[in-house]
Amino acid sequence: MNLLIKGGRVIDPANGVDGVRDLLVQDGKIAACGPALAAPEATPTIDAGGKVVCPGFIDLHTHLREPGYEYKETIATGTRAAAAGGFTAVCAMANTFPVNDNRAVTDYILAKARVEGVVRVYPVGAVTRNLKGEELAELGELAEAGCVAFSDDGKPVMNSGLLRRAMEYILPFGTPVISHAEDLNLAAGGVMHEGAVSTELGLKGMPTAAEEAMVARDIVLTELTGTPVHIAHLSTAGAVRLIRDAKARGVRVTAEVTPHHLVLTDEAVRSYDPNTKMNPPLRPKRDQEALLEALADGTIDAIATDHAPHAQAEKEGEYDHAAFGIVGLETAVSLLLDRLVRPGLLDLPSLVARLTVGPARAFGLPGGTLGLGSQADITILDLGRELTIEPARFHSKSRNTPFAGWQVTGMPWMTVGGGRVVMWERVIKGGFGA
Amino acid sequence: MGWKRKDLLTMQELDAGEIRTILDTAESMKEIATREIKKVPALRGKTIVNLFYEPSTRTRTSFEIAGKWLSADVVNFSASGSSVSKGESLLDTAKNIEAMSPDVVVVRHSSSGTPQLLAEALRCAVVNAGDGAHEHPTQALLDLLTIREKKAHLEGLHVVIIGDIAHSRVARSNIHGMRKVGMTVTVAGPPTLIPPYVQELGVKVSHRLEDVIADVDVIMMLRLQQERMTAGLIPSLREYSRLWGLTLDKLAAARPDVLIMHPGPVNRGIELAPDVADGPYSVILDQVTNGMAVRMAVLYLLTGGKAQ
């Protein structure tokens, strides 16, 4: 749990650091950060010359699928995929089977993660029992058990009165509500973005209004109750405007965007490849541009993968019958480095901020910083490495990605959790408890 | 010109020359229907599989007769709903079909894009016989053939397509096909039945029947599916019929040589008054006859036949 990382470009947005430094880890904590650090004898040393050393990346939006859907992913495989992708912590969504709507499930997830996980797992509890949107889950006990936020992700809480009660109830626990912002009546039956492309392809569309109406509602409920709301997988220009305006008024709203909404548009659906089917759907260029702008100016706090593994049979065949969602943990960082940072759409420190301090603050998580005494979760990037995205080499159990075969430059080179090397060159070295 | 494509999936992918090639070939095929023995050996030894996931009598029969008149062996394979509902994936179905070594697969499916997915998976030719709300290219081709027969040309004509544009594959294929051969297309219907951004397909949009029927060469009425009413897209059949149904009274404003078309089957008294459907402007039965000629042409060209 001791480590000396020498000569890397340390980017630590939480502390305003960007420069070549050494980083000393002792007993799993950050012990020093500075030029030419000396380390006690026998401290393992990593030469990070030419590489970028950051706080460990935190994914606010992961579906680990366990318990219940182990044929798609498990805590073991999902956390390995996270480590391979440069993440040291993931927030696990509640739509498991059984649903994470009671303490027994939370305890199970945390116990499994301790034994089989290789990165930190923060469970997200359900807002309502069985995600049905009818009765509150045991929110207090879930928070006590370790749930860091609440969401019926994949299923918005359509009953505004019930969501208000949930937000009022959890106020003392200090956890945010995550909004899967989708008005189910407006989006009914949609399989892609409603626009010129859906009209041409003859596929049922989901209008941007389905997202924006719910973002507006959830901002209003945050103002009413005081409980912060976090907008998951933001995808429209109108929702960006609503969040920007709300933040300017001091409303406690945060937001995340996925890599796939930043690098693909609804034009990708022309292939009828079910790996372009996600919810919210891929939007047109004008929405993508608004997302990029909001990412750069800080309106969007975090980039989250919405890692949604599905078995092959669920993602092949007819487009409108295929499952929504793609895997993202192992492709996110390379896509972001190649498609956002390299062309200058986003500077590297901002990208690191949206993967570290932004998500940590949104959910009040430890980590996201290289400050002295903080847990030594570290991600090291190799910006020059060229690679081809090969689903066959994923650590995830599932392969549902539209990025197969993409050539990208830049990758997570090493993942360190609690001072231990968890991943190096895509090879998993062991977990926190190993 | 020669025919180069492996499949016929959309009108969008065809250029004007390819459309003319199919129409010219279809014209030469029409003569077969007039023979006492309606059989030519053009596709002898070839196997055509009609793979219909959606109920269809008219289109399936039309493809079947077209194949048989060309001496192909035609096999009808009917399945309900999606392959998913049977527990077999579409691609598994495709592999099974491939193993039967057909020369052409004619597919109809309620999901848009299915013919494209099959065409990528199969070595044989694939013909789209209607996929979801996407395209129905042979219907557009038979419509174009009918218009060309009656008007002697296509370029410069103005067509209005009236009704449920949002859910119509016939409308989409006709929009692409008609624009490519130089026709002007207007779509008309209540706003709930007009898809968003349809103007980007190069059409004009109108929401009043009276505004569009006076100045067009062709009026194409679409079938109103009754479930559109229960889905809340229109308040009642009665109102739809009153506002959007074509009657002799309304037709008084139309040109004397206007053509009335309908892909069928017609809801008599809803989108077309009976005396309009059966009247002198109507070319609905010509469309059916031309359907077989167009399908013969398509099957012939896709199996290596020489273009006319």
Side-chain angles (χ1 to χ4, degrees):
Chain A
M1 304 239 275
N2 296 339
L3 209 55
L4 178 64
I5 301 171
K6 283 192 74 68
R9 176 184 169 190
V10 175
I11 300 180
D12 177 16
N15 295 294
V17 175
D18 184 353
V20 175
R21 303 272 198 286
D22 292 351
L23 194 65
L24 180 65
V25 174
Q26 287 184 314
D27 299 326
K29 309 268 189 208
I30 304 293
C33 180
L37 293 181
E41 207 171 321
T43 300
T45 301
I46 292 163
D47 178 5
K51 306 215 166 38
V52 175
V53 180
C54 320
F57 295 164
I58 300 169
D59 186 19
L60 293 181
H61 199 139
T62 297
H63 296 270
L64 289 178
R65 304 296 191 206
E66 186 177 6
Y69 303 104
E70 288 85 351
Y71 68 99
K72 299 177 194 243
E73 193 78 286
T74 62
I75 289 168
T77 58
T79 56
R80 277 168 170 72
F87 293 93
T88 55
V90 296
C91 296
M93 287 294 149
N95 56 350
T96 48
F97 182 75
V99 168
N100 185 18
D101 61 3
N102 64 85
R103 178 172 199 140
V105 178
T106 308
D107 288 345
Y108 175 86
I109 292 168
L110 288 171
K112 268 269 184 178
R114 269 192 298 275
V115 176
E116 297 178 8
V118 299
V119 303
R120 298 178 202 279
V121 175
Y122 297 114
V124 173
V127 177
T128 67
R129 284 180 204 271
N130 215 18
L131 309 176
K132 283 190 168 171
E134 294 167 357
E135 303 168 84
L136 295 184
E138 291 174 334
L139 303 170
E141 202 162 277
L142 286 167
E144 283 175 2
C147 288
V148 297
F150 292 97
S151 178
D152 282 1
D153 184 60
K155 294 184 174 182
V157 181
M158 285 297 291
N159 181 332
S160 305
L162 186 68
L163 185 60
R164 172 197 176 168
R165 295 301 172 217
M167 292 172 79
E168 286 174 340
Y169 189 82
I170 63 172
L171 186 61
F173 298 96
T175 52
V177 159
I178 306 169
S179 166
H180 170 103
E182 178 188 6
D183 183 311
L184 294 176
N185 298 309
L186 283 169
V191 297
M192 68 173 293
H193 167 74
E194 178 183 291
V197 179
S198 68
T199 288
E200 200 172 316
L201 296 182
L203 289 170
K204 180 97 169 66
M206 304 182 201
T208 54
E211 178 167 324
E212 290 152 10
M214 292 296 262
V215 169
R217 180 199 71 167
D218 294 342
I219 287 169
V220 168
L221 289 179
T222 288
E223 292 185 277
L224 176 68
T225 63
T227 286
V229 68
H230 175 78
I231 308 297
H233 39 51
L234 190 68
S235 77
T236 82
V240 165
R241 276 196 301 276
L242 288 164
I243 292 167
R244 191 176 281 133
D245 292 349
K247 282 192 164 184
R249 290 200 309 278
V251 180
R252 298 177 70 193
V253 55
T254 54
E256 71 188 31
V257 63
T258 73
H260 45 273
H261 287 106
L262 294 169
V263 303
L264 293 174
T265 67
D266 62 344
E267 290 290 331
V269 184
R270 289 184 188 280
S271 62
Y272 287 107
D273 175 1
N275 285 319
T276 63
K277 182 176 174 181
M278 51 274 287
N279 188 9
L282 297 172
R283 303 290 188 186
K285 192 88 186 150
R286 59 180 177 276
D287 292 294
Q288 192 187 54
E289 286 167 354
L291 294 171
L292 280 166
E293 193 183 333
L295 192 61
D297 73 14
T299 302
I300 294 176
D301 306 82
I303 298 174
T305 67
D306 194 4
H307 178 78
H310 289 294
Q312 186 180 348
E314 295 164 321
K315 282 300 259 185
E316 67 179 19
E318 301 91 325
Y319 197 89
D320 47 8
H321 291 285
F324 286 101
I326 60 169
V327 290
L329 286 168
E330 290 172 83
T331 53
V333 170
S334 290
L335 287 170
L336 295 165
L337 290 172
D338 188 74
R339 300 301 161 112
L340 265 57
V341 175
R342 263 162 51 85
L345 296 170
L346 188 70
D347 62 84
L348 184 60
S350 294
L351 175 68
V352 173
R354 305 296 175 266
L355 290 165
T356 57
V357 62
R361 285 184 185 154
F363 284 11
L365 302 175
T369 171
L370 296 176
L372 297 186
S374 57
Q375 61 194 27
D377 293 359
I378 300 160
T379 300
I380 305 178
L381 305 173
D382 182 343
L383 302 187
R385 183 69 69 88
E386 294 176 359
L387 72 152
T388 304
I389 294 175
E390 295 175 273
R393 298 184 63 194
F394 284 171
H395 291 268
S396 171
K397 257 192 181 181
S398 294
R399 306 278 180 264
N400 47 308
T401 176
F403 302 115
W406 281 37
Q407 309 281 328
V408 286
T409 300
M411 65 177 268
W413 178 69
M414 180 176 281
T415 307
V416 175
R420 291 176 191 271
V421 176
V422 175
M423 182 280 292
W424 184 27
E425 297 265 10
R426 296 209 171 263
V427 177
I428 304 300
K429 298 292 182 183
F432 287 14
Chain B
M1 66 179 285
W3 184 261
K4 301 250 169 39
R5 292 181 186 275
K6 167 183 166 282
D7 311 296
L8 177 63
L9 302 178
T10 62
M11 291 301 286
Q12 189 186 22
E13 69 197 356
L14 301 183
D15 61 32
E18 289 172 305
I19 292 170
R20 270 194 295 275
T21 296
I22 298 172
L23 299 187
D24 293 346
T25 307
E27 263 179 3
S28 71
M29 293 287 177
K30 278 193 82 170
E31 179 266 332
I32 294 169
T34 64
R35 297 184 187 183
E36 190 177 347
I37 306 294
K38 298 178 180 58
K39 201 101 166 165
V40 295
L43 267 62
R44 193 165 59 199
K46 305 279 187 187
T47 304
I48 298 167
V49 174
N50 278 336
L51 181 59
F52 276 59
Y53 283 95
E54 254 188 0
S56 159
T57 304
R58 180 178 308 233
T59 304
R60 188 187 55 72
T61 306
S62 182
F63 270 106
E64 187 173 351
I65 291 173
K68 286 180 170 170
W69 283 0
L70 295 174
S71 301
D73 295 308
V74 183
V75 180
N76 290 315
F77 181 101
S78 295
S80 59
S82 85
S83 56
V84 175
S85 66
K86 296 186 297 166
E88 179 178 78
S89 80
L90 181 74
L91 296 181
D92 281 340
T93 306
K95 285 177 201 156
N96 277 283
I97 293 166
E98 180 86 43
M100 298 174 199
S101 303
D103 298 285
V104 184
V105 170
V106 179
V107 61
R108 165 167 289 194
H109 202 290
S110 59
S111 295
S112 300
T114 300
Q116 182 174 319
L117 295 174
L118 278 179
E120 286 164 11
L122 294 174
R123 284 192 298 269
C124 68
V126 173
V127 180
N128 179 5
D131 62 327
H134 181 214
E135 286 228 31
H136 192 354
T138 56
Q139 177 70 41
L141 289 163
L142 73 89
D143 291 337
L144 289 172
L145 181 62
T146 307
I147 296 168
R148 195 172 79 168
E149 275 181 359
K150 301 295 177 187
K151 297 287 188 187
H153 66 106
L154 294 170
E155 195 168 341
L157 295 178
H158 187 176
V159 180
V160 59
I161 306 175
I162 297 173
D164 184 359
I165 310 298
H167 302 92
S168 174
R169 51 197 175 209
V170 174
R172 282 171 180 75
S173 276
N174 266 305
I175 288 168
H176 291 305
M178 289 171 168
R179 292 197 62 248
K180 284 182 178 182
V181 297
M183 296 166 77
T184 302
V185 183
T186 299
V187 296
T192 49
L193 299 180
I194 302 291
Y197 303 97
V198 72
Q199 297 90 331
E200 293 191 21
L201 298 182
V203 299
K204 300 173 188 171
V205 178
S206 174
H207 299 303
R208 276 172 51 88
L209 184 80
E210 292 73 14
D211 291 346
V212 290
I213 60 172
D215 198 31
V216 295
D217 303 288
V218 180
I219 300 172
M220 179 178 287
M221 305 299 290
L222 297 179
R223 174 179 167 77
L224 183 77
Q225 297 186 17
Q226 309 270 342
E227 64 266 25
R228 306 292 171 232
M229 189 177 73
T230 53
L233 294 173
I234 55 170
S236 69
L237 276 183
R238 179 189 155 276
E239 177 164 309
Y240 181 84
S241 173
R242 198 174 68 75
L243 295 177
W244 294 100
L246 200 54
T247 60
L248 275 181
D249 284 352
K250 290 177 187 165
L251 260 184
R255 290 182 183 172
D257 61 345
V258 72
L259 299 182
I260 308 290
M261 306 183 81
H262 192 297
V266 177
N267 290 309
R268 285 171 182 264
I270 297 176
E271 61 261 8
L272 281 180
D275 47 7
V276 175
D278 301 328
Y281 306 111
S282 169
V283 295
I284 294 171
L285 292 177
D286 299 277
Q287 291 174 265
V288 177
T289 303
N290 285 336
M292 287 183 293
V294 157
R295 283 157 188 145
M296 277 194 282
V298 167
L299 295 173
Y300 176 73
L301 291 170
L302 288 175
T303 50
K306 195 161 170 259
Q308 297 299 302

